[in-house]
Amino acid sequence: MISAPAHLVRLSRAAFVFAHEGVLGLVDPAMVPVPARPLLRLARLIERPAGGTAEARLSTALTRLGPSYVKLGQFLATRPDVVGATLAQDLERLQDHMPPFPQADAKAAVEASLGKPLDSAFLSFGPPVAAASIAQVHRGTVTTADAPRDVAVKILRPGVEERFHADLAAFTFVARHAENLSAEARRLRLIEVVDTLRRTVAVEMDFRLEAAALSEMAENTKDDPDFRVPAVDWDRTSKEVLTLEWIDATPLSDRARLAAKGFDLPQLARALIQTFLRHALRDGFFHADMHPGNLFVDDEGRLVAVDFGIMGRLGLKERLFLAEILHGFITRDYHRTAEVHFEAGYVPPHHSVDNFAQAIRAIGEPIHNRTAEDISMAKLLTLLFEVTGLFDMRTRPELLLLQKTMVVVEGVARSLDPKLDMWTTAEPVVKEWMTRHLGPAGKLESAVQSAGEVGRFVGSAPGLLTRGARVLDQLDEITRDGLTLSPQTIAEIDKAEGRRSRWTAAALWVIAALLLWIALRLL
Ligand SMILES: Nc1ncnc2c1ncn2[C@@H]1O[C@H](COP(=O)(O)OP(=O)(O)O)[C@@H](O)[C@H]1O
Ligand SMILES: [Mg+2]
């Protein structure tokens, strides 16, 4: 148990850093209650001159405050209802880079976690090649029966768990007080926001789970010619250390090098979209952090993904739903698309299928009139979920995670081929899957499976989980929800837009009070 003064000390340091780096300067004073405005001005007095762009200021402040704040920042990027659309966008662009920890600490961490001397596990162990808030990656070599093999060793930042624990306790402290003081904070379920962050990070900080995700994905994709993942070296993997086959490949972000190597960029874009859809539809298990930093192309032209900390799962029911709506839009069968929503039980039966079909047609038709490169599947899903909200549909969190990932994947694909045609790219994957599952042979297979699936669905509903195996519970929830939140919270996102300014004001009150507290301490 950490005491309230200890929380206040941590938080006041954060308030000071935010003020000093000029993050509070990003706040529109008009959104702050009048009595708090002098405090905001006071905060601005300690602002460092030449803080740079909003993004740069945020980045400096969060990096100074450490990993928990970087994660909080990334997390709040998915919550425009809490922080406002502009700040959410700035946060979304933040890169997770941190100065590396010393080589000696890395070696000591590996030895402690694997329980053996470094030399007995690795033939060589090089300096870090990448460092971020939770971990850093080193290149090493191991002996095998034939020849030495290169490996990537991802090491959990020493002390990061303790730090998270303390920082998250402080965040909970703020959330609890905010919920006591403000109806707005209660509506946004701030305590739940912090809890979700805690669970997400707990999963990301256990590398055995990342290794298991890699291994599951490897099994799912073993026959796919255009995608692969690095193999896990289980003998050198523990909670804090993840050892993988070293991937010698070109980053997908390095277009010039890809082109110089003679890769067909539009073909890579198609492969990326099809790969993602295959994982989502066929396997129901997808990588939910597909930014270009995590994607590579090997010399055989295959896509390689790393970083399996955040994964999404779709049950058969969601996959059938997704395939049917994509198929419905591709074939312009809006009535069928509408029916699917009712059949899945996502839209309450008192609504009219015809009215719903009309709303969907309003999204689909304009898209069909556009040229191929203007069609965005991610945008389509985004619009669809907006419309479905009007019909009291509570969007499943796993579908929202899919939609968010699709926005990222589509962005990466378009950077490789601005003329990418989403429909013709998606069609073969959707069609193949539909034929298998909805064709005469597939019907039976799916019917049998979905009976079990629906049972699982109910069985894993929040609240019905037993409290026992915590990490597994958490894993289940996180892989279902990823960085998204519970259905209730998501429903709130739609409603909260107009109330955002008042909550920002409440948050500022807390920060203002802290600054006052520091000021009094200093006097
Ligand atoms: N198996 C690998 N082979 C080569 N480089 C890797 C491998 N795994 C990770 N890396 C490099 O390390 C970076 C960070 O690894 P990643 O798993 O993405 O960690 P983080 O979760 O900190 O982003 C990657 O972007 C990549 O450049
Ligand atoms: Mg990464």
Side-chain angles (χ1 to χ4, degrees):
M1 201 47 212
I2 303 168
S3 64
H7 288 317
L8 285 171
V9 170
R10 294 189 92 83
L11 292 165
S12 47
R13 176 172 170 260
F16 178 81
V17 171
F18 280 134
H20 187 58
E21 295 301 337
V23 172
L24 298 184
L26 303 175
V27 175
D28 177 3
M31 285 168 75
V32 181
V34 176
R37 285 182 198 165
L39 287 170
L40 191 64
R41 277 201 292 278
L42 183 74
R44 299 210 58 180
L45 287 180
I46 53 171
E47 198 167 295
R48 199 162 59 86
T53 60
E55 214 178 311
R57 289 192 229 171
L58 271 170
S59 170
T60 319
L62 295 180
T63 310
R64 258 185 79 185
L65 288 169
S68 323
Y69 285 83
V70 173
K71 279 285 150 195
L72 179 70
Q74 285 181 336
F75 186 71
L76 290 178
T78 66
R79 295 296 308 265
D81 58 321
V82 177
V83 295
T86 325
L87 194 53
Q89 269 167 24
D90 288 331
L91 287 169
E92 202 163 307
R93 280 196 295 270
L94 283 182
Q95 301 272 324
D96 187 358
H97 292 308
M98 286 239 147
F101 50 87
Q103 184 77 356
D105 294 0
K107 289 183 174 173
V110 172
E111 293 190 331
S113 188
L114 297 182
K116 52 181 152 188
L118 197 82
D119 300 348
S120 77
F122 298 96
L123 201 58
S124 71
F125 189 81
V129 294
S133 54
I134 292 188
Q136 74 187 26
V137 175
H138 293 247
R139 184 173 182 161
T141 47
V142 297
T143 28
T144 64
D146 332 314
R149 207 160 27 86
D150 283 350
V151 288
V153 189
K154 185 166 172 176
I155 306 164
L156 192 72
R157 228 166 232 284
V160 79
E161 276 195 281
E162 293 73 17
R163 205 152 156 195
F164 261 106
H165 183 70
D167 283 336
L168 283 165
F171 297 165
T172 304
F173 176 82
V174 171
R176 196 164 293 140
H177 281 269
E179 286 206 10
N180 277 338
L181 291 172
S182 141
E184 194 44 39
R186 282 193 291 278
R187 218 194 301 275
L188 289 169
R189 294 169 193 265
L190 288 193
I191 297 177
E192 198 181 300
V193 169
V194 178
D195 280 344
T196 310
L197 177 65
R198 179 180 289 115
R199 287 197 305 267
T200 313
V201 171
V203 171
E204 272 191 81
M205 286 194 304
D206 189 337
F207 291 160
R208 292 168 302 187
L209 298 177
E210 180 167 346
L214 268 151
S215 149
E216 185 175 342
M217 176 77 79
E219 219 168 277
N220 290 342
T221 58
K222 63 180 187 305
D223 298 324
D224 295 356
D226 52 6
F227 177 81
R228 75 184 196 100
V229 299
V232 176
D233 182 339
W234 287 100
D235 292 341
R236 296 174 184 81
T237 290
S238 62
K239 185 168 181 294
E240 293 87 8
V241 177
L242 173 66
T243 304
L244 302 175
E245 160 195 4
W246 178 262
I247 296 293
D248 213 355
T250 315
L252 200 61
S253 52
D254 193 345
R255 259 176 299 163
R257 219 166 105 201
L258 289 174
K261 287 197 160 207
F263 291 122
D264 177 351
L265 299 190
Q267 174 48 36
L268 284 175
R270 272 195 300 279
L272 179 65
I273 297 285
Q274 294 184 341
T275 294
F276 176 70
L277 283 175
R278 232 174 260 134
H279 297 170
L281 275 183
R282 183 193 62 192
D283 310 330
F285 188 52
F286 62 92
H287 189 302
D289 195 10
M290 292 271 263
H291 66 79
N294 290 336
L295 294 165
F296 299 83
V297 183
D298 72 9
D299 285 343
E300 279 104 273
R302 283 175 300 187
L303 288 167
V304 191
V306 299
D307 201 354
F308 284 64
I310 308 169
M311 303 298 292
R313 268 189 206 282
L314 294 174
L316 191 63
K317 184 178 163 186
E318 287 82 33
R319 286 185 267 155
L320 285 168
F321 171 74
L322 186 73
E324 288 245 31
I325 55 177
L326 290 179
H327 193 254
F329 276 109
I330 292 171
T331 56
R332 305 166 86 158
D333 188 348
Y334 304 117
H335 206 265
R336 177 69 203 131
T337 309
E339 273 171 6
V340 173
H341 285 76
F342 286 79
E343 283 166 14
Y346 290 160
V347 178
H350 64 266
H351 286 292
S352 138
V353 179
D354 292 328
N355 286 346
F356 193 55
Q358 182 188 351
I360 293 177
R361 179 184 290 270
I363 301 171
E365 281 304 289
I367 284 176
H368 276 280
N369 286 335
R370 296 210 189 118
T371 51
E373 65 238 49
D374 285 340
I375 294 174
S376 155
M377 193 178 288
K379 184 119 181 272
L380 173 93
L381 285 184
T382 312
L383 282 173
L384 180 70
F385 291 155
E386 260 169 46
V387 166
T388 50
L390 297 177
F391 285 81
D392 304 319
M393 172 170 157
R394 265 195 184 181
T395 309
R396 304 272 332 161
E398 54 270 52
L399 287 173
L400 277 184
L401 181 62
L402 178 94
Q403 173 241 330
K404 278 186 192 145
T405 313
M406 207 176 252
V407 172
V408 176
V409 172
E410 219 181 279
V412 178
R414 282 199 199 282
S415 72
L416 295 167
D417 178 14
K419 291 195 176 327
L420 177 77
D421 180 340
M422 280 303 288
W423 278 165
T424 52
T425 307
E427 200 177 4
V429 181
V430 176
K431 218 176 190 163
E432 189 201 313
W433 195 82
M434 295 273 293
T435 321
R436 186 140 53 83
H437 284 267
L438 302 175
K443 273 248 156 65
L444 190 64
E445 190 191 327
S446 298
V448 174
Q449 274 185 34
S450 52
E453 201 76 26
V454 170
R456 276 228 319 266
F457 210 64
V458 174
S460 60
L464 294 182
L465 292 168
T466 50
R467 292 283 151 221
R470 283 204 60 80
V471 170
L472 287 181
D473 283 0
Q474 287 169 359
L475 179 67
D476 189 56
E477 276 183 50
I478 296 304
T479 50
R480 294 177 69 87
D481 298 6
L483 274 176
T484 62
L485 297 153
S486 71
Q488 298 91 309
T489 320
I490 281 148
E492 292 302 332
I493 294 179
D494 298 335
K495 293 192 230 138
E497 264 304 295
R499 292 184 244 111
R500 186 210 322 147
S501 53
R502 265 184 289 143
W503 160 243
T504 311
L508 278 168
W509 269 106
V510 175
I511 292 168
L514 286 167
L515 283 169
L516 186 65
W517 187 79
I518 308 171
L520 291 174
R521 289 268 123 167
L522 292 177
L523 289 175

